[in-house]
Amino acid sequence: TKTISKCYVQVTGMTCASCVANIERNLRREDGIHSILVALMAGKAEVRYNPALIHPAAIAELIRELGFGAAVLENCGEGDGILELVVRGMTCASCVHKIESTLMKTNGVLYCSVALATNKAHIKYDPEVIGPRDVIQAIKDLGFTTSLVKKDRSASHLDHKQEIRQWKRSFVVSLVFCIPVMGLMIYMMVMDSQLSDAHTHHNMSSEEMQALHSSMFLEHQLIPGLSVMNFLSFLLCVPVQMFGGWHFYIQAYRALKHRTANMDVLIVLATSVAFVYSFVILLVAMAEKAKVNPVTFFDTPPMLFVFISLGRWLEHVAKGKTSEALARLISLQATEATIVTLGPDNVLLSEEQVDVELVQRGDIVKVIPGGKFPVDGRVIEGHSMVDESLITGEAMPVTKKPGSTVIAGSINQNGSLLISATHVGADTTLSQIVQLVEEAQTSKAPIQQFADKLSGYFVPSIVAVSVVTLFAWIIIGFVDFEIVEKYFLGYNKSISAAEVIIRFAFQASITVLCIACPCSLGLA
């Protein structure tokens, strides 16, 4: 018997099925080449050859001569089939040993491990020698029932509906409370500008200004130190902080628990500090029975949460769109196949319905009119028209006759066909496309990795900058109070200089946090 070896060659530059046919046709003529299978999407050729007559480097050279790029793949383990089974009826460790030892003795099984606790078996096999149905049969012969681990064909991991709902809710809650806050803010700004105009034209004293200011409805004090404006802002801010920011708090907590800082941490920091600072300042003002209303930052959290939850919501909608395309692709795959046994002269002896995952290479599969092709293969018998628009985009049906290749997922139209399976499971064109799209979604562009790395340093550095701002202004204030006086307008003359400085320093540092918070780099 001549020994047959197997090698894999990475082929680049193939554009369509005719390239595949070209390579296969030309290599089959060569001495020492037993068989060749080329997968277009994976860009891989599996060659079985006689090592006495030809070696892999020469095979790659032959493909190169046809005008394609070719390189021999070193790790040949990729051709192994992997099977995950659920095995029922095992009672103890000896059952496990019995299954494992029997399977390991079976020709073609490379590795087998059975877990009693989960009733699962993990088997690696050589698809040239043995197939999943033979393995299942071997386990059944030992007296156990077994079935495939059901693959999740619904692609529920691609579903972004829940996140979309969650961020939409978050956005709506924040928006409902943000609009009145913005209204109050704009009203205050307009009134302020009118006041300052009056001030410049009528040369009022600042005491008269104060009097005018507090006569405005929103500045009216409900109790000393608490104005209508601040009270309303506080009421509107609480629900946003609680409900609008809920998901941010959870994610920020998780990030901090793992000692990392992400954007959520900044958002939570900025909003919480703004909220807590404003709240404390109000309490202090009420305790002091202050005549002048303190400057609060209750408008910051609602506005930040609105913008950011809108961003997150749109992001998940976009993700959902790409994933939808993937889920549609996955749903194109057939779930069952009809396998037939042929006698001499292609006489049908028997046929059985099996799960697609159980189709082995070399099986004869019958596809009826209107049926989907479960696997990639070659037509052995029958003539038909096939709709391959899912792969090629070509609406016109393609004629298939014995020797033609067919693609999994395409639809058979008018004649019944018998095909011999060439690519099964994860090797079919459709599976390869799905895999490529999934990989494209999970892999990051280098610039994105760089940005992620940067934003890892971004958060701590912003926090550091705002702390530096705080201390810098405190020091400046105690060294030269006039600078603070120049920038801190409308502070109450009745409070002590130290308090003015600390309040101003706090305002400055919170401003730094709030401005840097939506981290445009991270968002972009």
Side-chain angles (χ1 to χ4, degrees):
T1 57
K2 55 178 185 170
T3 56
I4 298 289
S5 295
K6 189 163 71 167
C7 73
Y8 290 90
V9 182
Q10 183 80 47
V11 184
T12 53
M14 296 189 290
T15 50
C16 62
S18 64
C19 301
V20 173
N22 182 10
I23 295 175
E24 289 185 354
R25 196 177 57 244
N26 281 297
L27 284 193
R28 279 211 189 89
R29 297 185 190 138
E30 299 293 333
D31 282 343
I33 290 187
H34 203 263
S35 72
I36 171 165
L37 251 182
V38 181
L40 177 65
M41 289 305 300
K44 226 170 34 190
E46 179 186 308
V47 187
R48 298 174 72 201
Y49 62 97
N50 181 351
L53 296 173
I54 196 167
H55 55 96
I59 296 172
E61 191 48 49
L62 287 170
I63 296 176
R64 269 191 223 104
E65 281 168 13
L66 294 172
F68 302 98
V72 180
L73 288 170
E74 297 305 324
N75 51 343
C76 296
E78 294 196 357
D80 299 341
I82 293 177
L83 192 57
E84 295 269 354
L85 298 175
V86 178
V87 183
R88 301 259 170 229
M90 297 190 290
T91 51
C92 60
S94 64
C95 303
V96 172
H97 178 69
K98 190 160 105 190
I99 296 174
E100 285 183 357
S101 56
T102 310
L103 284 180
M104 289 305 285
K105 282 183 203 137
T106 312
N107 188 18
V109 175
L110 308 170
Y111 164 83
C112 166
S113 110
V114 180
L116 180 64
T118 57
N119 287 339
K120 290 233 176 100
H122 184 81
I123 299 142
K124 267 191 184 157
Y125 61 93
D126 181 353
E128 299 287 324
V129 184
I130 194 171
R133 288 207 306 287
D134 310 327
V135 174
I136 289 178
Q137 197 50 51
I139 298 176
K140 280 193 176 143
D141 292 346
L142 293 172
F144 302 98
T145 56
T146 174
S147 62
L148 275 174
V149 172
K150 275 282 169 244
K151 282 244 183 82
D152 182 15
R153 281 214 190 78
S154 64
S156 60
H157 63 288
L158 300 172
D159 195 10
H160 287 272
K161 285 197 183 73
Q162 193 207 340
E163 281 106 330
I164 291 174
R165 263 206 315 274
Q166 152 187 324
W167 287 114
K168 186 177 176 181
R169 207 168 45 227
S170 183
F171 169 65
V172 170
V173 169
S174 307
L175 188 66
V176 166
F177 291 103
C178 171
I179 291 171
V181 169
M182 283 180 72
L184 288 176
M185 229 174 80
I186 293 165
Y187 175 72
M188 287 298 292
M189 281 176 179
V190 171
M191 294 310 285
D192 269 356
S193 66
Q194 282 181 1
L195 274 178
S196 57
D197 286 353
H199 181 56
T200 45
H201 289 306
H202 302 293
N203 307 330
M204 289 185 191
S205 66
S206 54
E207 280 76 25
E208 286 173 301
M209 273 288 293
Q210 291 280 331
L212 233 181
H213 212 273
S214 49
S215 67
M216 273 165 53
F217 168 67
L218 284 179
E219 286 292 324
H220 182 67
Q221 295 196 337
L222 295 169
I223 56 173
L226 180 64
S227 68
V228 177
M229 167 83 180
N230 281 338
F231 183 62
L232 285 177
S233 302
F234 172 72
L235 285 185
L236 292 167
C237 189
V238 172
V240 177
Q241 203 69 15
M242 302 288 284
F243 305 110
W246 180 244
H247 304 296
F248 293 104
Y249 277 97
I250 294 172
Q251 285 171 323
Y253 170 69
R254 283 182 192 148
L256 288 174
K257 208 166 71 176
H258 296 297
R259 301 226 171 114
T260 57
N262 58 5
M263 225 177 103
D264 297 310
V265 174
L266 258 192
I267 295 164
V268 164
L269 242 178
T271 51
S272 309
V273 170
F275 182 74
V276 171
Y277 167 80
S278 307
F279 186 53
V280 169
I281 268 246
L282 268 191
L283 292 182
V284 169
M286 278 150 64
E288 282 180 356
K289 297 193 168 32
K291 296 276 187 300
V292 175
N293 298 310
V295 176
T296 54
F297 289 104
F298 286 125
D299 49 350
T300 307
M303 306 213 7
L304 273 183
F305 281 137
V306 162
F307 288 125
I308 290 161
S309 46
L310 173 65
R312 295 277 165 97
W313 174 35
L314 293 176
E315 180 188 354
H316 281 289
V317 169
K319 274 189 194 161
K321 288 272 191 295
T322 27
S323 307
E324 213 172 82
L326 244 189
R328 283 216 194 101
L329 265 182
I330 293 174
S331 68
L332 289 171
Q333 293 167 335
T335 50
E336 298 217 306
T338 309
I339 291 181
V340 297
T341 321
L342 295 180
D345 301 331
N346 283 0
V347 180
L348 274 185
L349 296 180
S350 69
E351 57 177 72
E352 60 165 332
Q353 284 274 0
V354 299
D355 208 301
V356 159
E357 273 102 38
L358 292 180
V359 179
Q360 293 162 200
R361 188 182 289 175
D363 277 341
I364 309 298
V365 180
K366 177 176 153 197
V367 184
I368 55 171
K372 273 184 188 172
F373 289 94
V375 292
D376 291 5
R378 260 193 205 87
V379 180
I380 307 177
E381 194 180 273
H383 285 73
S384 180
M385 304 293 280
V386 173
D387 175 9
E388 288 185 347
S389 58
L390 88 143
I391 299 289
T392 58
E394 172 57 71
M396 292 291 285
V398 187
T399 314
K400 297 292 177 191
K401 53 185 191 295
S404 315
T405 55
V406 291
I407 305 170
S410 52
I411 298 165
N412 187 15
Q413 292 195 334
N414 45 17
S416 188
L417 294 177
L418 288 182
I419 63 166
S420 161
T422 54
H423 294 92
V424 297
D427 295 330
T428 63
T429 311
L430 193 56
S431 303
Q432 291 287 338
I433 292 176
V434 170
Q435 198 182 328
L436 281 172
V437 177
E438 275 187 334
E439 273 172 19
Q441 277 194 327
T442 49
S443 62
K444 285 181 177 173
I447 187 75
Q448 195 181 346
Q449 280 170 340
F450 178 64
D452 285 356
K453 198 164 142 192
L454 270 188
S455 49
Y457 300 123
F458 183 82
V459 179
S461 55
I462 289 299
V463 175
V465 169
S466 77
V467 171
V468 169
T469 310
L470 176 69
F471 286 111
W473 275 111
I474 290 177
I475 294 163
I476 292 171
F478 282 113
V479 173
D480 186 354
F481 183 63
E482 282 171 11
I483 299 182
V484 174
E485 224 171 1
K486 195 168 88 188
Y487 290 110
F488 194 16
L489 302 169
Y491 75 91
N492 192 353
K493 300 281 192 296
S494 63
I495 53 180
S496 67
E499 201 176 329
V500 173
I501 294 165
I502 287 169
R503 283 192 190 181
F504 180 65
F506 253 99
Q507 277 188 24
S509 65
I510 288 174
T511 310
V512 169
L513 261 188
C514 292
I515 289 174
C517 155
C519 168
S520 45
L521 178 76
L523 274 180

